[in-house]
Amino acid sequence: MITDDPSQALASWNSSLNFCKWLGVTCSRRHPDRVTGINLEGLGLGLTGEVLASLANLTFLQRLNLSNNKLHGHLPPEFGNFHRLKSLELSMNSIEGIIPETLSQCLQLQILLLNDNKLTGEIPEELGSLQKLRYINFGNNLLTGVIPASLGNASSLAALYLYGNALSEGIPYSIGQLPLGFLNISHNNLEGFFPPSFGNLTSLMYLDVSYNKLTGGIPEWFGNLSSIITLDVTMNNLTGTIPSSLGYISSLSTLYLTANNFSGAIPSSLGNLPNLQSLALSHNRLSGTIPSSIYNVSSINYLGVADNLLTGTIPSDIGNKLPRLKAVYMYFNQLHGPIPMSLANATGLEDIELTGNKFSGVIPSNLGTLQNLYWLSLDRNQLEAKNADDWSFLDSLTNCSQLQVLQLNRNRLQGILPSSVANLSTMLQWLVLAENQFTGVLPVEIGRYVNLQNLDMKQNFFISGSVPPSIGNLRNLQLLDLSTNNFSGGIPDSISNLTQLSELYLGGNVLQGSIPAGLGNLQSLRHFDLSYNNLSGKIPKEVVSIPSVSTFFGLSHNSLTGSLPSEISDDDDDEDEAIDITLGGDAAREITLNCLASVLKYLVSSLAGDLLVVRYSYVHCVDFKIFTLDESCDQWRQISDIGDQCLFIGTNETMAFSTLEHPELQQNSVYFTDEVTARFTIQASNRNRPRQSDFKVFDIGVGSVKASSCSSWRPCPPPIWLTPSPS
């Protein structure tokens, strides 16, 4: 029964008109009073109601299509009486309950589409008896159990879509005996290996098993799938090498092997695929260089090899050889050399992500010719800018009207920050220039980025001048980090307009004046740090009353006076909050909590006898930088690779170890413990409870913490090299 018909689609369904003339109704030519088809597929109809069992009285019905409406209720078992039914299409509704096994009585059924509903239970084994069934789609439901082996008996089945359910166990051998052209069983909980019978699927054009728990490898016989166009095994537990036989499937257009555990080299045979458009090999353990043959496949528009162990350089003519390239993902590898100027010749490029490699030289000045570029991530490399010419790339990028993300942090950008940093696309959402070494001011025009969500300029040390009040125009801003610079003046009152802000870091500057009470408007704030400035006056109660601040509240190392606001209570239940405050002056209740120093420095002797300075910062995230003395210019120079050694740092001892002599240790890493910082922090609740002191490993090359040894509140003794000496 239809309970709502907002578009009046069924207005013609009345006694004044013969039912064969009703909208969506088809009658038989041989039997004029018999209904053979009902097609009320959505298209804006928006019909609401239940699928009635009485429809089964239409015994001549051959096609029933009620897709894309708002139907609910259960699928009537009486539908098994449709002995002439060839097509049942009920997708994109809200139908619940099980798939009735009585559908197996519809012996003429060829198309069964029940996708995008709320169906539960198991797939009926009886459906395997439907010898004329060609197309099944049960995708995006709540089905459980296994894929019935009996489906292998549906000898005409050419398309099987079971994606987006909770099906488990293995893929039945019998599926490989079907004449399948399309098989999508992605987004389930399937386990086990590829059945050997899959080698018989020579008509298969589309295979998607992504987002499951499949194990084993891709067998060489996959090369027998001579008709396949799309192969997607993303996000499984597959291991071994990528078979070279894949490179001989000339029809292959899309190859997604992302997020598995594949190792070894990328087969050069993949460069033989004349129709390859998308190659996704990211998030594996692939090593060696990217085969030069890959760059000869001019049809490629998506190249993803990120997060592997790849080495080598990007060919200088990549943009000429891959002119159709739209996205290139090479982040987190060990690639080096310059970023080729020819990238700009791939005029359709939209997304360039080269984060976390060892690219050097200057950033190409012609990237601004890429009119469709919306994402540019070149952070965590060794890219340089020393003068105005080197910074010309930024002027060029002002021509990229679609640019939304620009990440250049953790490079070697020096000189004066051009004013053009404020002339980029107003569509910009992320602007991250942190941890470089440039000078200059933050332009007032920065306020024109009304769509900006993340502004991160931390740790440049030399940015001077005041924080422009126009920053209050960035009302979509969620993270503002200007910490560890040289900003002076007061905190603009306009920051109180940033009501979406969840993280505010202004620590480590020379800001003066009082803390604006208006910051209390930032009710979404979770991280708050104003430490290491010259702020004075009292702490506004409005600020400490922000209910959402739950991780870090930092005001230490200022000249704040007065008593601690009563809003900060020892009875706070948030065990994750760290309070960082220094109060001074003639207050009646003077409190000094010298908490969480933002930077520590350690002197270490390397295994080669060189003197290293380890800079450890942890205002709101752990970061290590390593410096060595360059005797040629008598200056400290940052390095990102310490080779086959690791450093251990502690409160009273630092040392270096060889990872060749101690293979259990991770090379090019810093071992540390948050016991170093534990003595600076105060938990906001349960203060008598022993504090966790994880020891962790910071990967210098990647720039992030990679491991932790203690993960519970059970007290962990600090490692021996951190144990204080007896006094």
Side-chain angles (χ1 to χ4, degrees), residues 362-496:
V362 297
I363 298 172
S365 59
N366 59 351
L367 294 179
T369 62
L370 299 173
Q371 294 298 302
N372 297 318
L373 188 67
Y374 72 89
W375 194 300
L376 179 61
S377 293
L378 306 179
D379 51 297
R380 305 185 192 191
N381 281 288
Q382 300 170 16
L383 299 168
E384 298 179 350
K386 297 181 179 179
N387 52 50
D389 288 341
D390 295 346
W391 278 100
S392 62
F393 73 88
L394 199 58
D395 296 333
S396 174
L397 289 175
T398 61
N399 297 316
C400 299
S401 59
Q402 305 300 313
L403 193 63
Q404 298 178 32
V405 173
L406 178 60
Q407 294 179 289
L408 302 176
N409 50 302
R410 293 193 185 184
N411 278 290
R412 298 174 180 175
L413 305 180
Q414 303 174 8
I416 299 175
L417 180 66
S419 59
S420 57
V421 72
N423 295 328
L424 299 169
S425 168
T426 55
M427 295 180 65
L428 202 64
Q429 297 180 23
W430 279 54
L431 178 58
V432 184
L433 302 179
E435 300 173 76
N436 283 288
Q437 301 170 19
F438 51 77
T439 63
V441 299
L442 192 60
V444 173
E445 291 79 11
I446 202 78
R448 61 188 289 272
Y449 294 141
V450 293
N451 293 302
L452 203 62
Q453 299 176 18
N454 186 324
L455 177 59
D456 189 350
M457 297 276 191
K458 69 172 176 286
Q459 295 183 25
N460 276 293
F461 301 104
F462 302 111
I463 290 185
S464 57
S466 61
V467 178
S470 61
I471 213 162
N473 297 334
L474 311 180
R475 295 177 182 265
N476 290 304
L477 208 60
Q478 298 175 22
L479 181 147
L480 174 60
D481 194 342
L482 304 178
S483 63
T484 320
N485 279 288
N486 197 32
F487 287 108
S488 57
I491 299 174
D493 291 333
S494 61
I495 290 183
S496 62

Side-chain angles (χ1 to χ4, degrees), residues 5 73 83 137 203 232 243 247 257 259 268 341 351-352 371-372 432 442 450 453-454 465 481 505 633 684 693:
D5 180 13
H83 299 305
N137 192 340
S203 298
D232 190 349
L257 308 183
S268 60
M341 292 278 289
D351 191 346
I352 303 174
Q371 294 298 302
N372 297 318
V432 184
L442 192 60
V450 293
Q453 299 176 18
N454 186 324
D481 194 342
Y505 305 111
C633 58
S693 56

Side-chain angles (χ1 to χ4, degrees), residues 121 123 138-147 160-171 183-191 208-214 234-237:
I123 299 173
F138 295 162
N140 285 340
N141 279 287
L142 305 170
L143 300 173
T144 55
V146 302
I147 300 175
L160 178 59
Y161 293 91
L162 304 177
Y163 57 88
N165 284 286
L167 302 173
S168 57
E169 298 189 19
I171 304 172
L183 176 60
N184 187 342
I185 49 178
S186 64
H187 292 83
N188 281 287
N189 298 314
L190 300 173
E191 301 174 341
D208 188 350
V209 296
S210 61
Y211 294 90
N212 279 290
K213 301 175 182 178
L214 300 178
T234 298
M235 204 70 183
N236 279 281
N237 298 317

Side-chain angles (χ1 to χ4, degrees), residues 3-66:
T3 59
D4 189 20
D5 180 13
S7 63
Q8 296 297 303
L10 303 185
S12 62
W13 286 41
N14 59 69
S15 57
S16 65
L17 198 65
N18 183 278
F19 60 80
C20 289
K21 295 183 180 181
W22 290 355
L23 177 68
V25 174
T26 303
C27 290
S28 170
R29 292 182 179 179
R30 180 178 298 180
H31 305 284
D33 294 329
R34 295 290 189 172
V35 175
T36 58
I38 297 177
N39 184 0
L40 296 176
E41 182 179 3
L43 301 178
L45 299 183
L47 300 176
T48 302
E50 296 186 20
V51 181
L52 296 179
S54 57
L55 285 172
N57 295 328
L58 301 174
T59 56
F60 275 70
L61 198 65
Q62 297 181 25
R63 184 186 182 193
L64 177 60
N65 186 353
L66 303 178

Side-chain angles (χ1 to χ4, degrees), residues 649-653 673 675 717-726:
I649 68 165
T651 55
N652 68 324
E653 186 92 32
T673 174
E675 183 69 22
I720 187 66
W721 74 91
L722 291 169
T723 304
S725 303

